[in-house]
Amino acid sequence: MAKLNKEVDIVRGDVVYDDGTHKFIWLGWEEHEEEGFVQVNQYLIENKNVGVILDPGGVHVFPRVVANVSRYVDLERIQHLFFSHQDPDVSSGVALWLSVTPAKVYISKWWVRFLPHYGIFDMTRIVPLEEGGGRIQLPSGDYLEIIPAHFLHSVANFHVYDPRSKTLFTGDLGAAIFPKGQRYPYVEDFDSHIRLMEGFHRRYLASNSIVKKYLEKIKRLDIERIAPQHGAMIHKKEHIQRFFNWLGNLRCGVDIADEFYK
């Protein structure tokens, strides 16, 4: 049965879902908001004592994230590291994570050639993802579905669907930019939250036609929460539907290119 903690320690994070053998965990934030620092979310899936980390983050957040992960599962039990795309706030800590875990790294094949710039030269633990996505198979028999989300915003980009918790991890899709001192982990007022998402999505997503292809791809999924890499989790069914409706009608990227080439 799903569990949503109302009293949330934003530094230590929150167990978003727990059915006894499977957890979906938000790994918290830095205690103090830093000027010019991009706020990021990391997530841990713990399935029968096997760990999967989604978008582990950069060097700056590594100490906090590794400490929070260790509260739930031993680092030697982290078997999979998933990177939605190549941005440094997602993946620049990859060498650190490979040094403290035995995990494999899942990332688009188009970004593998960039890993040496993050200090990775041994590719034996790298799993290049093909365009169509795939699965992360867990020892228990459970799996995570890797879903193509190309051009949203990266040209080679993936999301993850966790069927057990019915959680869709959406990387930068669903990102919100909080005013200083006004961050929150869960969306309660969707109308206000849209205003925090709009600027990012209009500028960073490639086009409405790409958005529509993605929405067609995921319409079969039973989604109870959306977990983005920036901003707040969307955990109410009516808000999830409103989010997808909003996206489907959003003019973005090349649709509004005249605004950028004045």
Side-chain angles (χ1 to χ4, degrees), residues 119-140:
I120 305 299
F121 298 95
D122 180 0
M123 298 296 166
T124 57
R125 290 161 63 189
I126 308 302
V127 180
L129 297 173
E130 296 295 330
E131 300 281 40
R135 287 186 174 185
I136 297 176
Q137 192 67 47
L138 303 175
S140 67

Side-chain angles (χ1 to χ4, degrees), residues 1-8 13-20 22-26 71-72 164-165 167 186 224-225 233 235:
M1 185 174 180
K3 170 186 172 184
L4 179 62
N5 295 335
K6 293 303 181 183
E7 296 297 325
V8 179
D14 194 24
V15 179
V16 176
Y17 173 90
D18 184 358
D19 64 15
H22 186 92
K23 296 183 179 73
F24 191 96
I25 302 160
W26 170 61
R71 294 175 55 222
Y72 299 101
R164 279 282 291 274
S165 68
T167 302
Y186 299 103
E224 291 191 355
R225 69 189 55 79
M233 286 172 277
H235 65 104

Side-chain angles (χ1 to χ4, degrees), residues 29-47:
W29 291 325
E30 311 315 300
E31 183 172 4
H32 302 289
E33 298 177 73
E34 300 180 32
E35 196 70 33
F37 175 69
V38 177
Q39 173 266 324
V40 290
N41 298 317
Q42 295 81 30
Y43 302 95
L44 169 67
I45 296 171
E46 191 265 315
N47 178 276

Side-chain angles (χ1 to χ4, degrees), residues 131-134 145-150 152 158-159 161 168 210-221 223:
E131 300 281 40
E145 185 174 352
I146 301 174
I147 299 171
H150 308 308
L152 301 173
F158 293 95
H159 294 169
Y161 178 65
L168 180 64
I210 292 294
V211 172
K212 281 185 165 62
K213 288 182 184 295
Y214 171 79
L215 293 177
E216 183 67 23
K217 185 81 174 176
I218 66 165
K219 69 179 183 181
R220 62 185 170 79
L221 301 177
I223 301 169

